[in-house]
Amino acid sequence: MKQLKLNQREKMAVGFGGGALVLFVLLQFIVFPLFDGRAKLAKRLAAREKAVAEMRLLQEQYRQIGQQTGSLSTLLAERNPEFSLFSFLEEKSAASEVKELIAYMKPSESTEHGQFKQSQVEMRLQGVGLAKLVAFLEQIEAPDQLVGIDKIAIQDNSKEEGTLDVTLTMVSIDRAGGETAP
């Protein structure tokens, strides 16, 4: 094999070229992958930190829902186990002197949501005065009994002037599956 004779300048050019090639290989295959790996790790770390923050937020929401469920359970435990929305409305209508003005009361099927169910009764009052209506509404809106008004429609009574026809949908929360309070 023949040896090339290079002058000083050519030797320096070949040395610089070889050094540049070695530098390129070091940068391309060692340094840049290290920096890319660090960037990927930083992104993964940021994603995991975000996931942990979301998990903590969800944990707090879960805790709050648990407390609300506990408070519903507490209210249900304090309420008479024989409670019925239909009888509650009959009792309050008699107390506020609107029982004779009830055109109808229709209970609806209960809808279950987890360990609780929602009972509804639609009732229609015809020819009721405003004072009696207000007294009745004050009595039937009972958060401590888990009873509230879902819908109300009020219109003038066409037969008697100064009276109203009212359609109410009342809602109550009960234990699902007929469970009794502990």
Side-chain angles (χ1 to χ4, degrees), residues 52-95:
V52 167
E54 288 177 13
M55 289 169 93
R56 285 187 177 141
L57 178 66
L58 290 172
Q59 182 181 27
E60 179 62 25
Q61 290 175 347
Y62 180 78
R63 187 186 62 74
Q64 288 176 349
I65 289 171
Q67 285 178 343
Q68 289 174 351
T69 302
S71 64
L72 282 177
S73 296
T74 303
L75 286 172
L76 284 171
E78 292 172 357
R79 186 168 72 180
N80 181 356
E82 302 298 317
F83 178 84
S84 158
L85 179 59
F86 195 87
S87 61
F88 174 80
L89 292 174
E90 281 187 327
E91 176 187 318
K92 298 302 179 181
S93 64

Side-chain angles (χ1 to χ4, degrees), residues 85 140-143 146-151 169-172:
L85 179 59
I140 61 172
E141 186 73 25
L146 297 173
V147 175
I149 300 170
D150 186 36
K151 295 178 195 168
T169 303
M170 299 299 300
V171 180
S172 173

